[in-house]
Amino acid sequence: MKKKKILVTGGTGYIGSHTIVELIEAGYDVVCADNCINSDESSLQGIHELTGVKIPFYRVDLCDREHSECIFTDHPDLSGIIHFAALKAVGESVEKPVLYFRNNLNSLLNMLEMCLKYNISSFIFSSSCTVYGDTETCPVDEQTPLKEAASPYGRTKQMGEEMICDCLANSKTQSILLRYFNPAGAHASGLLGESPMNAPQNLVPAITEAAIGKRQELTVFGTDYPTRDGSCVRDYIHVSDLARAHVLALNYLLSGKQAEAVDIYNLGIGQGLSVLEIIQAFEQVTGVKLPYRMGDRRPGDVVAIYSDYSKASKNLKWKPNFGVEDIMRTAWTWEQNRSMKTKSY
Ligand code: WQD
C-alpha cells in the first residue's frame, strides 16, 4: 500500500526533527520545509543517520506564499501537514512582538490557505500551554478557560488556534491542536537535539550550556514567586514523548476517528517542577555542579503551570515514557556531543 505523505513545517527544528524520525519509523513519507532562521539544517543529517532516509527539503520562508506553494504543486499527494514553524521564545517575544506576530501568524495563514486550496485532509498545529495564560488552577485540562496570554508568543498561539477554527470550519480539513507544555531533552541516540541558531532561551539548554562552559553561569529568572521555593513551576516533557504524540494524533485523524472539525489535546506529563528543582535534577543525574545566580523575573513568565493529559491518553492512547532524569541525561549527552563537533567556544 502506498505510504501516506506528510509535510512537516519547521522540520529542521527541535520538535520537528524528532517528529520526522518518529513519522518515518511509523511508515510515513515526509517532506520538510524550514527557513532555518532558528534551526540547523544539519538536523537532516541526524534524521538520515537514524532512519536511512533522505527527505525532500524546502528551505523556504512560509510567510512567502508564492514560494511556499511550490511544495504543494510538487507534492499533490500530501495527506497532512504538521505545522511546527514558528518562533517560540516567551522572553524574546516580549522584546520583538512585531516579529512574532508577523512570523507566526502569516506562516500559519499561508498553510491554512494551502489546506483549503489543495484539500489537505489533516492539519496538526503546534500549540502551547502558554495559551492558558497565568492560570491559578493546576493541573489545567483542555476545558480550563484561557486567560489573557502573558506574552506575545502566547498570544500568537491563542490567535493561531482561533484562526484554525475559523478557517477550517466546514472544510475538508480536520485539525488537532497540540498544546505542548515544556519540551526538553534529546534523542536517546545523541544524534538529534535542540540546536538553535541563536543563544537558547529555554531553561534546559541554558543549563547544559552553563554546565559545559559555553556561558559563564545560568541566571534563575526570579525566586520571589508564590511557589514552594520561589521559582517558576513548569511541566517538562521529553521531546521524544512529544514527537510520538504527533504520530498518534496523525493516525487518529487519518483513521477518521475524530468527529469534530478541530480538537485539542494537552501534552505534558502532569508533574510541576520548579526551576531550582530542575537544576537539582540536572546536578544529581550528571554529577556536574551548575554555576548559577539568582536574578530578576523575566517579563512574560507565568508563575506555575502543569498539565492534565488524560484526554490524550484516552483518545490518542498516549502516555509519557520518560521523566525528568531522562530529560537531563539526554540533554547533557547532546550538549557534550554538540560541543565536541563545534569546539569553538
Ligand atoms: C522555563 C522557566 C524561566 C531560562 C516554553 C517554550 C514555549 C512553550 C512553553 C512549547 C521559566 C526559567 C529560563 C533561563 C530561567 N512550549 N528560566 N533561566 O517560558 O515556560 O516556555 O514552554 O510551545 O515555546 O518556550 O520555557 O524554558 O524559557 O522557561 O530561570 O536561563 O525557566 O523564567 O520560569 P517557557 P523556558
Side-chain angles (χ1 to χ4, degrees), residues 15 83-101 103-105 125-133 148-161 178-183 201-202 242 298-302:
I15 308 169
H83 184 57
F84 291 102
L87 293 169
K88 57 126 184 168
V90 166
E92 184 185 56
S93 77
V94 174
E95 293 156 19
K96 303 175 182 172
V98 172
L99 172 66
Y100 269 67
F101 284 111
N103 183 74
N104 291 6
L105 299 184
F125 177 62
S126 166
S127 190
S128 162
C129 63
T130 45
V131 302
Y132 292 107
E148 186 184 355
S151 67
Y153 165 74
R155 209 166 341 274
T156 68
K157 292 300 182 181
Q158 284 181 340
M159 293 166 74
E161 291 191 354
L178 296 176
R179 290 176 177 169
Y180 311 156
F181 282 68
N182 284 55
Q201 311 251 332
N202 293 124
L242 192 56
R298 179 177 70 176
D301 276 335
V302 299

Side-chain angles (χ1 to χ4, degrees), residues 15 87-91 126-130 153 157 178-183 200-207 215 217-222 225 231-236 242 273-275 279 293 296-298 300-303 305:
I15 308 169
L87 293 169
K88 57 126 184 168
V90 166
S126 166
S127 190
S128 162
C129 63
T130 45
Y153 165 74
K157 292 300 182 181
L178 296 176
R179 290 176 177 169
Y180 311 156
F181 282 68
N182 284 55
Q201 311 251 332
N202 293 124
L203 178 62
V204 174
I207 285 175
R215 60 173 75 185
E217 62 185 1
L218 175 84
T219 302
V220 176
F221 293 143
Y225 286 100
S231 63
C232 292
V233 172
R234 296 288 185 274
D235 180 340
Y236 295 87
L242 192 56
L273 288 174
S274 74
V275 175
I279 291 171
R293 57 180 281 275
D296 296 333
R297 292 184 175 191
R298 179 177 70 176
D301 276 335
V302 299
V303 180
I305 188 162

